[in-house]
Amino acid sequence: MKSKVLAGVLTLAVVATGVSPAVASASGGDALAAVNTFIGTQDEGNTFPGASAPFGMTQVSPITSHYAGYRYTDTAIRGFGHFFLSGAGCWEQGGLVSTLPTTGEVGPGKAFDTAKAATFDQKQYASPFTHDGEVGKPGYYKVHLTGYGGVDVETTAATRAGVERYTFAQSHSNDANVFVNVGQANDKEPVTGSSIRVVDDRTVEGTVESQAFCGGKAYTTYFTTKFDKPFKAFGTWSPTGGTPGARTSEGGAGLRGAWLTFGGGGQVTASTAISQVDAAGARVNLASEHIRSFDAAKAEVQKTWRRELSTVDIKGGTPDDRTVFYTSLYHALLQPLTANDADGRYYGFDKKIHRAAGWTYYDFFSLWDTYRTQNQLLALLRPDRARDIAKSILAIHDQGGWLPRWAYASQETNTMTGDPVTPFLVDLWRFGALSGEEVHAYQALLQNSREIPPAASPFQGRSGNASYQKDGFVQYDPDFPKKGQDTDPNHGASATLEYALGDCSLSVMAAALGKKDDAAALAAKGRTYRTLWDETQTDRGFTGFFRPKVLGGAWFSPADKPYSPQSQDGFHEGTAWQYQWLVQQDVPGLVQRMGGPAATGKRLDDFFAYDELVKDPATGVRENWVVGPYDYYDQFRYNPNNEPDLHSPWMYALTGQPSKTSTVVRAAHTLFTNAPNGVTGNDDLGTMSAWYVFSALGMYPAVPGTGNFVLNAPRFATSVLHLENGRDITIQAPGADGSKLQAVSGLKVGSRSSDRGYVGFDQLKNGATLQFSLTTDLAGTTWATAPSSAPPSPCAG
């Protein structure tokens, strides 16, 4: 998801040259060594380079001047925060409990003048740093601060704690300090209240009240930090300045924190745990990790990461290919975040404390993004975790009364539009993650599909359901009231398409559960997209486009100009050109409206600038596709930076031209590079990274609810997915070469030849071997071009 408030941001390209750690290629077979956590830290990828455990509650990463935390081209580090999201697009997203090592005396008239409040502004005391020697690997980050006489900072993490090690220059004779800042966080993250208390000569505790993502409500984070050495001196600061020897500082918005002084410098290690429950929860979390030393914590988390990343083994490709692949897999395994404390307690959506016994409660769900890729990847590779994710979503429903859309810190932010939770949960059901909870989940989904939360509910749900249920479309009303950043009628046309896609996926589940009447009604709703097809609209030589309608059923027309399919009117972060392909559930119906297969193919060719891609994939992409991370509107071409048409390369395969799917995917891969700007747009909690993982493997979950993966030419000669049940999915593609345009010329599933352009989850879940034959004769291959080769559309009719 990309916040609309950021549209028009100017980005600065990063050229991958020299021996910078951000572009160094990994060699050998170690998946962890191949990861480069700096990928995505420039040009609004919004990833963080610091340390985290898989799906960890606590992350430790540097804060520069960017709202996501760290931007590769910045030159000063303000501190090391202990909570981050990976790849999100809105402001207000973390950097809480910021710590920074410094040197120099603290007191009235000293190097850090306690009489001046601005002394304790992290923008003022920030340290310059160098990329020389900077390291970003799973579970480990290292950087050299060039200020304060030179300080090496290393960070590592456990699931519920982060650890920093500060090594001060031996030549520096001054005492060493650590500043713990609770009144400031990432840029554009408002802190509305905070507290800090020096508990003893090694421990500080406190709270940070900050605003939730995308304009959400305030929430409180509790923390405890323990040091491996006693403090020689300490003090706290407040908006009026610092007080040496003071143990507490507490209040509303404004500068607040503590400085802790250690005699003789040397090396200092700090361990921090957070909790959204209470102070006791933070203490329990820190104690539960049994952190013996920095090196022991690093070894443990990297052992965990090696196990996670070795879920997929790849052979073939260049060192950079391996780095891009394993970094993408890494980013896809960072979230959702563990949200229950080590004792099982978590803060629920009913504002009460609950306990997860024998399972993990997760929070921070970017469903509009992750339902398209990352959700299915986790369900395939980590079904046990997917079951807990599904259970968490249902717990949110049971406690809050409704299913979430963008859940953040035990609240619904009502960010983005459409109905992402339906395909999200239905796919988890299809992958087996709802075993024993099918009826429970179905009832919650049916409520969400047909009803609207009451005005008093903090959940907005399908706010366009009144007109959608009655007339088959969500009206376009830019002034429709909203409970958060977004509401469906503000983007009525795209919301209609998202509702229809979700209802169709739910119809599949209904049919499997024996709910025949529901299944038929929901399948019909899966075809409501047709109400917005305006067969009179023409653009770029093509006739027929989706167009928003206003309440009552009249076509929307701007007051001062004719309606254009390239406009933003009625569509969320896209145009009718991008959203015209969001009809995977009824491909025959879409093709008919576009004038038949030949006309649909020509429209796809124009959408992707296909002829230019064949000539030169990298140049064709950069000169013709949408390349700005927030360039949503006034566009008629593919936007690889944003979610609405991520599946659209596979529309070629769904309409009988699978070789062109492979061409477009290989062209899109040129945007994923081993460099700080090597992610397309915001990574959106692993969504874009999961897109790369699936497309590089040669399979993509294009049609929600079906469990089918539509195929394309794999990037690697061999890929092996090690499933939790002990079985393997082996994907073989001899001669695969990511630097060339290749298409599939043949396929064997096991020992049998297959002309199907897809495989189902049921074929894969107990292990399978897919053997691809590849060709560079893009126009000559006829594999999977027969009408029966494409997967059936679940709501065609």
Side-chain angles (χ1 to χ4, degrees):
M1 175 268 160
K2 291 82 174 172
S3 172
K4 61 188 176 184
V5 300
L6 298 175
V9 170
L10 296 178
T11 57
L12 180 64
V14 175
V15 179
T17 58
V19 293
S20 161
V23 298
S25 294
S27 60
D30 185 359
L32 185 143
V35 174
N36 172 9
T37 65
F38 296 102
I39 292 176
T41 59
Q42 186 64 34
D43 284 5
E44 310 305 318
N46 292 356
T47 60
F48 62 85
S52 175
F55 309 91
M57 176 185 289
T58 304
Q59 306 77 32
V60 196
S61 193
I63 299 170
T64 63
S65 69
H66 195 258
Y67 68 91
Y70 175 98
R71 177 167 46 201
Y72 190 78
T73 51
D74 283 346
T75 58
I77 289 175
R78 300 174 180 179
F80 295 85
H82 292 81
F83 172 79
F84 295 86
L85 293 180
S86 181
C90 266
W91 300 339
E92 310 103 20
Q93 55 168 293
L96 312 182
V97 192
S98 171
T99 62
L100 188 77
T102 66
T103 57
E105 292 186 80
V106 186
K110 303 296 185 180
F112 292 102
D113 191 347
T114 54
K116 298 178 181 179
T119 295
F120 300 104
D121 182 341
Q122 64 180 4
K123 297 178 183 178
Q124 300 297 317
Y125 66 69
S127 173
F129 73 102
T130 176
H131 290 306
D132 292 341
E134 191 178 23
V135 177
K137 293 296 177 185
Y140 180 69
Y141 172 81
K142 180 180 180 180
V143 67
H144 181 69
L145 305 182
T146 55
Y148 303 114
V151 186
D152 285 332
V153 179
E154 300 168 273
T155 76
T156 190
T159 298
R160 293 180 175 87
V163 189
E164 303 102 78
R165 180 163 64 189
Y166 312 116
T167 303
F168 296 85
Q170 292 182 355
S171 60
H172 205 289
S173 60
N174 288 347
D175 289 339
N177 311 306
V178 175
F179 284 15
V180 182
N181 189 329
V182 294
Q184 294 175 292
N186 282 353
D187 196 47
K188 303 184 186 299
E189 169 65 282
V191 175
T192 52
S194 62
S195 69
I196 194 164
R197 180 171 66 97
V198 179
V199 177
D200 54 38
D201 66 355
R202 293 173 186 254
T203 310
V204 295
E205 295 184 346
T207 60
V208 180
E209 181 186 84
S210 55
Q211 183 173 303
F213 183 78
C214 279
K217 295 180 175 61
Y219 69 101
T220 300
T221 299
Y222 302 84
F223 77 94
T224 185
T225 301
K226 286 186 176 294
F227 293 83
D228 68 337
K229 291 183 177 180
F231 314 144
K232 173 184 176 182
F234 58 82
T236 64
W237 71 81
S238 67
T240 58
T243 306
R247 287 187 172 273
T248 63
S249 180
E250 181 176 6
L255 300 175
R256 203 172 310 282
W259 71 88
L260 313 164
T261 300
F262 300 87
Q267 197 170 77
V268 177
T269 299
S271 301
T272 299
I274 64 173
S275 169
Q276 289 181 23
V277 178
D278 53 25
R283 296 181 202 120
V284 165
N285 288 342
L286 186 57
S288 72
E289 298 296 356
H290 304 290
I291 296 169
R292 304 185 308 277
S293 67
F294 182 92
D295 290 331
K298 174 188 172 186
E300 184 64 28
V301 72
Q302 292 203 315
K303 177 182 177 182
T304 300
W305 270 118
R306 279 193 172 89
R307 183 170 62 248
E308 292 283 347
L309 294 169
S310 65
T311 301
V312 183
D313 287 329
I314 57 172
K315 294 182 180 179
T318 66
D320 278 354
D321 285 337
R322 288 182 56 82
T323 290
V324 171
F325 182 88
Y326 280 113
T327 304
S328 296
L329 182 59
Y330 164 79
H331 282 145
L333 298 175
L334 287 170
Q335 52 273 304
L337 307 183
T338 298
N340 66 277
D341 290 339
D343 59 7
R345 295 183 307 148
Y346 66 91
Y347 190 59
F349 275 63
D350 55 0
K351 310 307 177 187
K352 298 178 181 178
I353 306 302
H354 300 266
R355 190 181 297 273
W359 62 287
T360 299
Y361 175 75
Y362 292 98
D363 196 353
F364 302 90
F365 290 104
S366 176
L367 299 181
W368 188 82
D369 308 290
T370 58
Y371 92 78
R372 306 167 201 263
T373 58
Q374 192 248 7
N375 183 46
Q376 298 91 331
L377 186 64
L378 295 188
L380 181 66
L381 298 179
R382 287 289 178 259
D384 286 347
R385 183 166 280 124
R387 276 187 282 275
D388 284 357
I389 288 170
K391 194 168 185 175
S392 301
I393 294 285
L394 293 178
I396 291 172
H397 171 270
D398 294 346
Q399 295 158 18
W402 294 87
L403 291 168
R405 176 171 298 170
W406 219 122
Y408 186 111
S410 300
Q411 61 179 284
E412 173 54 60
T413 65
N414 294 306
T415 300
M416 303 310 297
T417 53
D419 181 26
V421 73
T422 297
F424 184 93
L425 272 182
V426 171
D427 270 338
L428 288 182
W429 160 77
R430 171 61 78 181
F431 283 74
L434 285 174
S435 179
E437 295 283 348
E438 297 91 343
V439 174
H440 182 193
Y442 179 74
Q443 290 171 343
L445 287 165
L446 198 63
Q447 176 200 39
N448 175 75
S449 170
R450 293 178 173 176
E451 301 177 29
I452 303 174
S457 171
F459 291 79
Q460 194 158 240
R462 283 191 178 192
S463 57
N465 244 350
S467 61
Y468 178 77
Q469 297 297 336
K470 179 177 179 290
D471 301 318
F473 65 89
V474 178
Q475 80 274 23
Y476 175 39
D477 181 358
D479 299 318
F480 194 87
K482 52 191 176 183
K483 297 179 180 179
Q485 176 170 283
D486 301 303
T487 190
D488 294 335
N490 291 174
H491 309 277
S494 56
T496 300
L497 298 174
E498 298 273 14
Y499 284 15
L501 184 67
D503 279 341
C504 178
S505 69
L506 188 55
S507 75
V508 177
M509 184 178 182
L513 295 179
K515 313 269 185 196
K516 294 182 179 180
D517 291 343
D518 286 354
L522 289 163
K525 287 294 183 185
R527 297 185 287 273
T528 54
Y529 73 89
R530 300 176 182 181
T531 62
L532 296 187
W533 186 261
D534 184 354
E535 62 185 13
T536 70
Q537 282 295 310
T538 61
D539 195 37
R540 295 183 56 78
F542 300 98
T543 300
F545 286 91
F546 292 119
R547 180 180 179 182
K549 286 183 176 179
V550 299
L551 197 63
W555 293 115
F556 166 77
S557 294
D560 56 344
K561 57 185 177 181
Y563 174 75
S564 168
Q566 297 183 36
S567 74
Q568 69 182 49
D569 297 317
F571 295 91
H572 203 171
E573 297 187 2
T575 69
W577 271 93
Q578 276 96 44
Y579 275 96
Q580 67 184 320
W581 308 113
L582 198 72
V583 192
Q584 311 98 293
Q585 74 274 21
D586 181 17
V587 173
L590 179 65
V591 169
Q592 178 188 355
R593 281 156 182 77
M594 289 184 169
T600 302
K602 289 179 180 178
R603 195 183 292 222
L604 280 165
D605 288 348
D606 187 61
F607 181 65
F608 288 108
Y610 184 80
D611 291 343
E612 298 302 313
L613 302 185
V614 173
K615 294 176 185 177
D616 185 335
T619 301
V621 163
R622 286 164 175 79
E623 292 185 353
N624 292 280
W625 290 1
V626 181
V627 294
Y630 303 112
D631 289 343
Y632 306 131
Y633 303 121
D634 301 318
Q635 303 286 355
F636 60 88
R637 287 269 163 77
Y638 179 51
N639 185 348
N641 308 292
N642 206 19
E643 280 71 13
D645 57 350
L646 288 185
H647 70 285
S648 59
W650 288 269
M651 292 300 287
Y652 272 125
L654 294 177
T655 54
Q657 299 185 80
S659 67
K660 290 187 175 181
T661 290
S662 295
T663 297
V664 171
V665 167
R666 283 284 173 86
H669 284 175
T670 66
L671 297 170
F672 291 80
T673 62
N674 184 15
N677 59 348
V679 169
T680 59
N682 306 149
D683 197 45
D684 288 325
L685 283 77
T687 297
M688 299 301 182
S689 287
W691 184 98
Y692 183 86
V693 170
F694 270 132
S695 63
L697 292 173
M699 49 192 285
Y700 188 83
V703 188
T706 64
N708 289 328
F709 293 95
V710 186
L711 304 176
N712 60 273
R715 188 172 185 86
F716 300 101
T718 303
S719 304
V720 182
L721 285 64
H722 304 294
L723 305 183
E724 276 189 346
N725 61 9
R727 307 294 179 85
D728 289 343
I729 300 171
T730 301
I731 301 169
Q732 298 174 340
D737 185 346
S739 68
K740 299 177 181 178
L741 294 181
Q742 295 174 308
V744 180
S745 59
L747 173 69
K748 283 187 177 181
V749 180
S751 60
R752 294 188 175 185
S753 296
S754 175
D755 195 46
R756 286 185 171 183
Y758 66 100
V759 293
F761 173 69
D762 288 343
Q763 295 174 272
L764 302 176
K765 65 182 181 181
N766 292 318
T769 298
L770 307 182
Q771 296 175 288
F772 288 85
S773 298
L774 304 183
T775 180
T776 56
D777 183 6
L778 305 178
T781 178
T782 60
W783 175 79
T785 56
S788 60
S789 296
S793 293
C795 288

